[in-house]
Amino acid sequence: MSKKLFIETLGCAMNVRDSEHMIAELNAHEGYELTDDATAADLILINTCSVREKPVHKLFSELGVFNKLKKSDAKIGVCGCTASHLGKEIIKRAPYVNFVLGARNVSKITDVLHKDRAVEVDIDYDESQFAFKDFRSSPYKAFINISIGCDKQCTFCIVPKTRGEEVSIPPELIVAEVKKAVDNGAKEVFLLGQNVNNYGRRLANEKVNFTELLRRVSAVEGLERIRFTSPHPLHMDDEFIEEFARNPKICKSMHMPLQSGSTNILKAMKRGYSKEWFLNRAQKLRELVPDVSISTDIIVAFPGESDEDFEDTMDVLNQVRFEQLFSFKYSPRPLTEAEKMEEVDSEVGSDRLDRLQARHDEILDEMKSINLGKMVEVYFEELRSDGYVAGRSDNNLSIKVKGSEEWLGKIAKVKIIEVSRNVQYGEIIA
Ligand code: SAH
Ligand code: F3S
């Protein structure tokens, strides 16, 4: 009987891809098959996130639960960003954990598996060209790493300390991965990096920036859709926005992580742009791509944020009218510059978060009727148990239509007939 692997993936798309890599390596070299039942697993992996404090607390309570329910000889491994930053501390606090594997050491998964209490968390380790075995959670779309690590020093962010310095994966390897994914049936690729439009850092052989990479990837025959995350507003130059607008394979949905609308706070965060720059870029995007959907990340109550600063954030929200908002209350992280700064009162932070989210809900309600009656192209990726198939429009609307598995992996024209804040219903036209 094959050995069973249970894996829980927290956090960002990069973690999802890291999990796919570990699943592939464990399957090819050790014969592990996936299970969604932790009690039946021979190996339990938690791929952790450390950007905010809550998930870290949750980790230790979850580890305790897994330790109780697991088979007596099953192993537990902790991987990802929390593994990178806590390292051997994890084994100290939870001695039953068999190994700890950092976010930048994923390729060593089959080594640590056989070493008792191994801790591999070297953030200088460069696995950007490691030839991972193949595994994809979806046959329809492929996550493809284009860079690892991050060279920015945003003062709130722990990621540069857990994923190390930024290294670009050579363009020819990326294009080869895209071709392979398309040959295996994917019509959509999702290019991944902490700061994708800074692509080109530490490339050994030639100078290729993100815009040029997008052109090369879009030349792959059979590929229909390109998405990417996350770009940085600072690096959204005209060339990039114009390529985004012009290239028909690039999906018209852009993530623009604002973080704060106050130029003062942006300075304290070391984001490198001002409120005016952000508004200018969003405006250019909306002008060139009228159908674009813009998503954002916002942190409220960063140390020193005054009522006035917060009003600037509300002002940007009201001007840009983001189609999607991921918002967080500031959470002090170890190893970051902001950790030592004086915090905003917690209740004030919670009120601001509530106000921001409530206003965003109103904006979504105001905007949703715009989509009613619209024709969109939907790539169907998921069969729902309620007789619907679901997919996304080019500009990232989540769309459900009545239908069966015959639509999976197909792109169809859909007319939107019912709208809500988060899901639209449609009917297939062609
Ligand atoms: N470059 C990545 C950033 C990863 S962190 C990206 O752009 O996606 C993802 C988001 O978590 C950030 O954009 C930020 O909004 C939020 N975040 C990061 N550190 C945080 C902290 N200390 N407190 C609250 N939110 C944080
Ligand atoms: Fe973090 Fe800023 Fe990089 S948010 S991942 S340090 S771009």
Side-chain angles (χ1 to χ4, degrees), residues 309-321:
D309 292 319
F310 176 65
E311 291 311 324
D312 272 327
T313 300
M314 291 294 276
D315 184 40
V316 176
L317 177 77
N318 282 315
Q319 291 198 50
V320 181
R321 297 168 72 83

Side-chain angles (χ1 to χ4, degrees), residues 236-248:
M236 293 192 174
D237 54 23
D238 285 350
E239 189 202 19
F240 166 65
I241 293 183
E242 283 157 19
E243 180 66 21
F244 176 87
R246 187 198 60 76
N247 189 326

